[in-house]
């Protein structure tokens, strides 16, 4: 199922599947969603990999996926910087993921990307495209993050928005 990124940003539990792909040019939003997933699952076993780590030694992730713990309920797998290079490995992991969660984070994936097409065509997988923010989104984020401060005027919000543009990474810094 394909979700709007702002809906998932509001509530990460809207994701229905235990397998999700987050992709797009909005690096700040991707980082925010990754942080939110980690915070919401802080009591679970979170295993993080980058695509390069997995390609270099795919036995690491297979050991983690196939190793079932009697003491922990489920594992959360987060793989960053994914692209079509890792498609075959992801297909193998998906077969054995069971009740664990798999979250993939990638950059801009073209429409013809095989990884993106896999997630678009499977009804039991979640897909979240993260497109670039506009100034109104950034303005809402500024107001939300500064809501506890007094004397925040629209002028102050506008100055912050002008200084960071549509770059969420600059805003978070």
């Amino acid at each position: 199922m394909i979700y709007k990124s702002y809906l998932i940003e509001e509530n990460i539990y809207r994701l229905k599947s235990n397998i999700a792909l987050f992709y797009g040019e909005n690096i700040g939003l991707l980082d925010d969603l990754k942080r939110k997933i980690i915070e919401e699952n802080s009591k679970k076993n979170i295993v993080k990999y980058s695509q390069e780590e997995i390609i270099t030694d795919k036995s690491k992730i297979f050991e983690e996926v196939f190793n079932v713990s009697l003491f922990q309920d489920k594992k959360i797998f987060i793989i960053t910087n994914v692209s079509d290079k890792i498609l075959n490995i992801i297909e193998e992991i998906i077969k054995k993921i069971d009740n664990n969660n798999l979250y993939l984070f990638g950059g801009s994936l073209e429409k013809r990307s095989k990884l993106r097409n896999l997630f678009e065509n499977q009804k039991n997988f979640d897909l979240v495209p993260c497109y670039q923010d506009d100034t109104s989104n950034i303005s809402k984020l500024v107001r939300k993050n500064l809501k506890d401060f007094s004397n925040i005027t629209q002028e102050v919000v506008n100055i912050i928005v002008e200084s960071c543009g549509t770059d969420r990474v600059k805003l978070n810094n």
Side-chain angles (χ1 to χ4, degrees), residues 50 61 122 163:
S50 73
I61 192 160
Q122 293 288 332
S163 67

Side-chain angles (χ1 to χ4, degrees), residues 5 16 20-22 27 51 60 70 72 92 120 133 142 145:
S5 59
K16 292 184 177 35
L21 171 63
F22 302 85
I27 296 167
Q51 173 178 285
K60 284 182 185 178
L70 299 173
Q72 293 177 330
E92 289 181 49
E120 286 176 345
D133 288 315
V142 169
N145 290 335

